[in-house]
């Protein structure tokens, strides 16, 4: 992809997702994810209706009239976007691939955080950490993240979420809002997610395509595993083959939902042909 085409794509995503974050998600994001606590702002004279528990007795004694301490919410937060860039993300049976929806959702979340003056970082992963961009503020930083999401070429096509979670836990010292964007066609990440979930506010956003849920009966078909590159002839006329595939797929979905729930983390599932706007808003409102 040449520079001109890349910039055009970045601009297109910026226009769409920034409008969403400005007019739709900004307030919901602010109310859903609170600051780290309350910080002291000032001392002022007591007014009728103020909470008496906020009275500063030392200042009150000095001036012989009641004064109270005023606190402000410590708003600055850090958002980390953990994005799956494995081979299975390059699939889509409708108008868009899964990785394109992932990019739009990530950009919308990033601009929502930017609007609240929060830091945003990104971790791209396959079965290894492919790229880590430390959290920073600013529009240019968000646009760099979008560029990476569009044009990054991973070294591996496989998936190992546990590796990425372990890396994040080791490198981020303060609590962060973490969004994991993936199809979660992987397993064996319960223990690492439990550790990450205790330290950070984690939400898993599962992006999937309806064609991944079941195999249609279309005869003998050569299929490719997008993560291993392995080719295999599959007899889709066989009811047992179709049932085994559906069972395998559903086991991965159940593992995702159960594992995140056990770890105290949030979950959200969005099909590529559904409105991620409605899904995100619904999730934010439930949490808020």
């Amino acid at each position: 992809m040449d520079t001109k085409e890349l910039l055009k794509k970045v601009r297109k995503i910026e226009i769409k997702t920034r409008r969403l974050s400005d007019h739709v998600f900004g307030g919901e994001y602010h109310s859903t994810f609170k600051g780290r606590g309350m910080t002291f702002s000032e001392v002022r004279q007591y007014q009728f209706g103020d909470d008496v528990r906020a009275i500063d007795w030392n200042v009150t004694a000095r001036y012989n009239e009641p004064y109270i301490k005023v606190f402000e919410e410590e708003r600055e937060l850090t958002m980390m976007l953990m994005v799956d860039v494995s081979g299975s993300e390059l699939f889509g049976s409708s108008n868009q691939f899964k990785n394109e929806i992932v990019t739009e959702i990530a950009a919308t979340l990033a601009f929502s955080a930017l609007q609240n003056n929060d830091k945003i970082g990104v971790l791209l992963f396959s079965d290894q950490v492919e790229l880590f961009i430390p959290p920073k503020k600013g529009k240019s930083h968000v646009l760099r993240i979008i560029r990476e999401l569009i044009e990054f070429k991973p070294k591996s096509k496989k998936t190992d979420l546990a590796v990425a979670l372990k890396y994040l836990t080791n490198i981020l010292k303060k609590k962060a809002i973490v969004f994991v964007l993936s199809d979660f066609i992987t397993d064996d990440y319960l223990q690492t997610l439990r550790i990450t979930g205790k330290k950070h506010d984690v939400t898993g956003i599962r992006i999937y395509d309806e064609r991944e849920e079941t195999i249609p009966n279309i005869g003998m078909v050569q299929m490719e595993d997008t993560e291993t590159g392995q080719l295999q002839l599959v007899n889709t006329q066989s009811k047992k083959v179709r049932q085994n595939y559906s069972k395998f797929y559903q086991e991965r979905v159940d593992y995702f939902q159960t594992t995140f729930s056990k770890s105290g983390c949030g979950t959200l599932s969005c099909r590529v042909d559904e409105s991620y706007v409605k899904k995100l808003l619904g999730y934010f409102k439930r949490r808020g």
Side-chain angles (χ1 to χ4, degrees):
M1 187 185 302
D2 61 34
T3 304
K4 188 176 180 180
E5 187 183 352
L6 174 61
L7 291 174
K8 188 177 178 181
K9 281 196 171 185
V10 171
R11 181 62 179 157
K12 185 178 178 181
I13 290 173
E14 180 193 358
I15 291 170
K16 180 178 180 178
T17 58
R18 187 155 198 176
R19 186 170 65 246
L20 286 172
S21 64
D22 288 348
H23 301 294
V24 181
F25 292 109
E28 295 295 341
Y29 170 86
H30 180 95
S31 60
T32 302
F33 301 104
K34 309 298 183 184
R36 286 191 290 269
M38 306 300 286
T39 57
F40 175 74
S41 175
E42 61 178 341
V43 174
R44 64 165 172 79
Q45 282 185 298
Y46 177 87
Q47 297 172 2
F48 179 75
D50 286 337
D51 189 343
V52 295
R53 291 173 296 182
I55 291 176
D56 187 322
W57 294 107
N58 290 331
V59 178
T60 296
R62 193 181 311 144
Y63 290 100
N64 229 8
E65 55 181 316
Y67 277 76
I68 67 164
K69 293 178 180 178
V70 179
F71 293 86
E72 290 180 346
E73 182 186 355
E74 191 180 353
R75 264 300 308 162
E76 185 179 295
L77 298 166
T78 295
M79 176 193 285
M80 278 302 306
L81 300 168
M82 294 183 64
V83 180
D84 181 354
V85 291
S86 63
S88 61
E89 297 300 321
L90 296 170
F91 178 81
S93 62
S94 55
N95 293 329
Q96 287 182 294
F97 289 156
K98 288 186 287 183
N99 68 327
E100 293 174 320
I101 298 295
V102 164
T103 298
E104 287 192 19
I105 294 175
T108 301
L109 292 169
F111 279 121
S112 297
L114 177 67
Q115 190 178 344
N116 283 275
N117 200 35
D118 295 340
K119 294 178 181 177
I120 307 108
V122 71
L123 189 158
L124 306 184
F125 70 94
S126 53
D127 61 346
Q128 58 187 280
V129 174
E130 297 275 357
L131 177 69
F132 175 71
I133 300 176
K136 278 178 63 178
K137 296 181 182 181
K139 178 183 171 182
S140 61
H141 180 67
V142 172
L143 293 178
R144 181 202 168 187
I145 288 172
I146 296 172
R147 284 197 302 272
E148 292 291 358
L149 288 170
I150 292 172
E151 69 169 355
F152 187 82
K153 298 292 187 292
K155 298 182 184 73
S156 173
K157 291 184 177 182
K158 298 180 181 179
T159 312
D160 191 334
L161 178 55
V163 169
L165 289 169
K166 186 176 180 181
Y167 181 89
L168 184 80
T169 303
N170 290 336
I171 204 164
L172 276 191
K173 303 306 177 188
K174 293 182 179 179
K175 182 178 180 179
I177 299 165
V178 179
F179 288 99
V180 186
L181 293 95
S182 173
D183 52 19
F184 293 95
I185 304 178
T186 182
D187 53 18
D188 199 24
Y189 52 84
L190 173 60
Q191 295 305 320
T192 46
L193 184 61
R194 275 181 169 165
I195 295 168
T196 307
K198 286 179 181 177
K199 187 176 180 181
H200 303 293
D201 185 337
V202 182
T203 298
I205 302 180
R206 185 175 74 91
I207 311 300
Y208 68 101
D209 190 286
E210 62 179 339
R211 291 298 183 193
E212 294 175 309
E213 298 178 278
T214 57
I215 296 178
N217 183 353
I218 52 175
M220 193 71 75
V221 180
Q222 182 170 268
M223 294 187 176
E224 179 184 358
D225 186 321
T226 53
E227 299 207 351
T228 64
Q230 183 179 349
L231 295 171
Q232 186 173 345
L233 276 175
V234 178
N235 182 13
T236 63
Q237 288 180 318
S238 167
K239 187 177 179 181
K240 187 176 181 181
V241 167
R242 297 197 305 272
Q243 286 176 339
N244 285 343
Y245 174 83
S246 296
K247 181 184 177 186
F248 169 82
Y249 181 82
Q250 192 57 48
E251 283 173 353
R252 293 297 181 275
V253 176
D254 293 342
Y255 183 82
F256 158 69
Q257 293 171 338
T258 303
T259 300
F260 271 74
S261 177
K262 283 181 178 179
S263 305
C265 304
T267 60
L268 171 65
S269 291
C270 183
R271 211 169 61 201
V272 292
D273 59 335
E274 291 180 322
S275 169
Y276 64 82
V277 176
K278 290 181 181 178
K279 292 277 186 173
L280 280 174
L281 275 177
Y283 177 72
F284 283 173
K285 285 176 178 175
R286 287 195 302 274
R287 286 217 27 179

